[in-house]
Amino acid sequence: MKVAVVGMGKMGIVHSCVLHVIPEVEVVGLCEKSRLVRRFVKKIFTKVDIVDDVEKLAGLGLDAVYVTTPIPSHYQIIKAIYTKKVARNVFVEKTLSNSYEEATELCSLARRYGGVNMVGYLRRFYVTFRKAKELLLGGALGELLSFDVHAFSSDFFGMKQETPSSSARGGVLRDLGCHALDLALWYFGDLKIELDSAKSLNSGSQNDILRFRGSSPTGLTGSFQVSWCIEGFRMPEVGISIVGAKGRLEVNDDLVRFSPNRRRESVLYRHDLNDNVPFWLGLPEYYREDVHFVEAVTLATRIEPDFASASKIDKMIAQVEKLGGLNG
Amino acid sequence: MGKQTDPDYAAGLIGTAVENGANGFLFSVSDITLAILRELKKRDSIDGMALYPIVPYAYEYVRLATQVGGMPGLAKVFAKRLVSSGCFRVMARGLNGVLRANPSSLLKAYLAYELNRVEAAAGKEAEVKSIILHEVVVDVALALKMEWFFREYWSFTVKRSLFPGFNTCNFALLVRQLNDWHFSLDDVVIAAPFNKIGFQMNPTKQACEEALCSLPAPGLVAISVLAGGYLKLPEAVDYIAGLSNVKGVAIGISKEEHARQTFKLINDQLS
């Protein structure tokens, strides 16, 4: 399977490397706008075509393209991949796009051109979040009553002014909060969003702390808290607490705690859930995620989270942005 | 600032660890750890202590890349740091690396820069045993089968009488690949997760243990031996004691009492 990666930032490097070790995959093309980065990449990725424009990847006979550029560029790049017939199968790092309108258009393009499409919501590949999904599917909590979700990082903790990279990352909701929304969507289905509060810590155009609520058509309600300015999070963390008729479930990056009513709670850590992978780069989830996509392309089967699911997250983000006045 | 990041407190902890049998310090090179080295030097506690700096301090560089606009922004920050190092050779190599887009020159400039920082902070009495490459760098180079990278790094360390050192989460693959490239693993330091439950031992615990047995001499510095707090110290140490080719064990400590108990037990069981 021939693959190209667009964007040679952190995520582009991670996916290029992981793809290199998956036996069925051959990374044959890379695309990067920065001349400086391209010059270095040429020395490191030998035997790979390196171009400065995604359209130049056409003609490489690609089976799939990974898009790992900043969020605001996703729409134009994916559109070019489909319309210039660069490849039929597309993986894009979260979020699908920079707006719900663009996301909807990308869904239409994906339907028109066929192929497998996937958005890189990594938390779905954490062993803890997978275990929680399994428990929910098995009805361990009974009827779901309420939930609380948080997504915190220290990425911009202590920053006195807004930086260009906070905009390039699409704001806190697209960059970090989207994981909370994706997990909520995965666990609970469609949610209607209402904003509680939105705050910028440096009077910039971006929100840094957001609080909002979600409610499902079945009456399930819950709250979200998102910030990238919280002290003490060396790594970003996403966590969910769910209350059901039969008990309570807490899950985060490291553990799943299940507390059935009137019975002893049980805690499963990453360690208990077979977290090892054939190749580990940064996190084990990248390997699982890439294998998931590669297998789907090989078998030509639809997978989750695809563009259609991911566009729902863009819709929820748009709802918060509309209510909050500032960018995500 | 947390207590553990206070150089005075951290130097005290290291002192306690040494009194109880620790003989080395494995650390990521950052402003905080350099301040700790300066404090240890001030207290005359650094003589004979084996230093194992890990570079780059990935967390800091990822955070920096976030704030300065990705790889190009990071390259500019790094260039400024090389210039401000004041070392002509480092600057020349760094400049050559950037102008000719030569990763090999940049690698050497970077290693020299970090080594200078450690030596300047720790003083001449300190014994820098290796300059260990962080897992992010090692595992990228491993994925891309960058033999030239390993050779350049190897020659840099050997020229300075340092052990080639690698931090990895793919121990079995690293050992196999280095063997395939015919590197001599007699004098190498590999810092990798080894623990009773196989946590972070990729692809499997068994594969890592077999790779360890295949080393020609002790080369493993076991990390994550407590599996991130999942295991109790006695059972963790018991497992390590049963392995061959272990050069050392690295355990993080945050309290005096913790330092005393941990290193006394390790010293009793592993020495």
Side-chain angles (χ1 to χ4, degrees), chain A residues 298-315:
Chain A
T298 308
L299 300 170
T301 52
R302 186 174 173 248
I303 45 165
E304 285 287 339
D306 65 1
F307 283 12
S309 303
S311 70
K312 292 179 181 178
I313 297 161
D314 285 320
K315 185 179 180 182

Side-chain angles (χ1 to χ4, degrees), chain B residues 37-180:
Chain B
L37 289 181
R38 281 190 285 273
E39 183 60 33
L40 287 168
K41 184 180 156 194
K42 208 164 81 183
R43 296 176 179 201
D44 288 329
S45 307
I46 211 157
D47 293 16
M49 184 188 290
L51 299 182
Y52 295 92
I54 299 179
V55 297
Y57 181 34
Y59 171 69
E60 183 192 292
Y61 280 99
V62 169
R63 191 164 188 263
L64 204 56
T66 297
Q67 293 169 359
V68 297
M71 298 290 180
L74 192 58
K76 283 177 202 160
V77 171
F78 178 59
K80 276 184 197 162
R81 285 186 180 180
L82 287 187
V83 170
S84 64
S85 74
C87 174
F88 178 73
R89 238 173 126 183
V90 170
M91 282 192 272
R93 270 203 181 129
L95 193 64
N96 178 42
V98 173
L99 292 179
R100 292 168 186 257
N102 183 340
S104 166
S105 291
L106 260 192
L107 170 70
K108 286 175 185 166
Y110 174 69
L111 291 171
Y113 161 74
E114 293 288 24
L115 198 55
N116 280 351
R117 289 213 297 165
V118 171
E119 287 173 345
K124 285 179 183 163
E125 299 79 15
E127 209 180 326
V128 180
K129 291 280 189 189
S130 177
I131 180 153
I132 297 176
L133 291 176
H134 189 275
E135 63 170 79
V136 166
V137 177
V138 172
D139 294 337
V140 162
L142 199 53
L144 301 178
K145 295 194 189 313
M146 292 162 60
E147 185 180 353
W148 66 266
F149 176 88
F150 286 94
R151 295 223 174 272
E152 294 287 358
Y153 167 71
W154 209 281
S155 90
F156 177 92
T157 51
V158 169
K159 266 184 202 161
R160 285 159 184 78
S161 303
L162 301 170
F163 293 121
F166 306 98
N167 168 210
T168 182
C169 276
N170 300 288
F171 180 81
L173 181 62
L174 177 68
V175 170
R176 195 178 73 210
Q177 192 62 74
L178 291 176
N179 277 323
D180 286 352

Side-chain angles (χ1 to χ4, degrees), chain B residues 161-219:
Chain B
S161 303
L162 301 170
F163 293 121
F166 306 98
N167 168 210
T168 182
C169 276
N170 300 288
F171 180 81
L173 181 62
L174 177 68
V175 170
R176 195 178 73 210
Q177 192 62 74
L178 291 176
N179 277 323
D180 286 352
W181 286 329
H182 305 293
F183 284 96
S184 162
L185 301 184
D186 289 313
D187 287 314
V188 73
V189 176
I190 304 177
F194 266 82
N195 50 68
K196 189 183 167 185
I197 55 166
F199 183 57
Q200 296 182 340
M201 291 171 68
N202 299 295
T204 62
K205 184 184 175 200
Q206 189 188 342
C208 290
E209 287 172 347
E210 285 170 5
L212 181 62
C213 281
S214 77
L215 292 181

